[in-house]
Amino acid sequence: MSLPNQLHLTPKSPKESMIEMREMVLPQHTNALNTIFGGVVMSWIDLAAAMSAQKHCNRHVVTAHIDEISFLSSIKVGEHVLIKASVNYVGRTSLIVGVRVESEDILAQTTKITTRAYLTFVALDLHGHPVQVPPLNPETHDEKRRFENAKKRVQATKELRAKIQMSNRS
Ligand SMILES: CC(C)(COP(=O)(O)OP(=O)(O)OC[C@H]1O[C@@H](n2cnc3c(N)ncnc32)[C@H](O)[C@@H]1OP(=O)(O)O)[C@@H](O)C(=O)NCCC(=O)NCCS
């Protein structure tokens, strides 16, 4: 059942839609070097980010764009993988979700950051049309910094697209 429309537009803080997922790297997830295959990490990132976007707007969402994905270090078989996703910014119908992936070596009791990603989702109504999402209410210093950075990212992407369109026309 869907919520009444006004409930869909109540502002929410990023904390309310934060997602934390934990996985373990099994042999079927690895490449020839016994470290995780990038596509597996990408699918976990997409899943955690989509759940975070859904929690923010209580709607179905689709992945529209992957703004950035940076693999900073590899993850070995047997290590745990922590995927943390939260909404950084919202437009009218779109949401930008930031994801941070960490690996945890359970025996050595060490963690390291392995991947950072930013994805854009679009909320859809029951007919599959883009629909307005609730405003985001960043509260902490970090939440405000992520919000401002995501806003710059959206602006920069729009400018780059417009530039490419212009140069294709000339
Ligand atoms: C994403 C999708 C719903 C957008 O549809 P659309 O008709 O272009 O929608 P609109 O032009 O009304 O744009 C809706 C919002 O999406 C944003 N958007 C659309 N395409 C985008 C893209 N490629 N990158 C970033 N944002 C995008 C728009 O800026 C707009 O944001 P706003 O409302 O916050 O200002 C449509 O392209 C789609 O269904 N794509 C396939 C999604 C999918 O199947 N994903 C699964 C993984 S392959």
Side-chain angles (χ1 to χ4, degrees), residues 62-65 91-94 120 122 124 130 161:
V62 284
T63 316
H65 181 72
R92 202 183 83 79
T93 66
S94 64
T120 306
V122 177
L124 301 180
R161 282 192 184 137

Side-chain angles (χ1 to χ4, degrees), residues 17-19 45 48-50 52-53 67-68 83-89 95-101 115-121 146 150 153:
S17 53
M18 194 178 282
I19 291 287
I45 286 173
S52 179
D67 299 281
E68 183 187 324
I83 306 112
K84 298 179 186 174
S86 58
V87 177
N88 287 351
Y89 181 82
L95 311 96
I96 295 204
V97 180
V99 183
R100 179 189 164 101
V101 181
T115 318
R116 265 203 202 95
Y118 302 93
L119 300 88
T120 306
F121 292 86
R146 290 186 199 118
R153 190 179 285 279

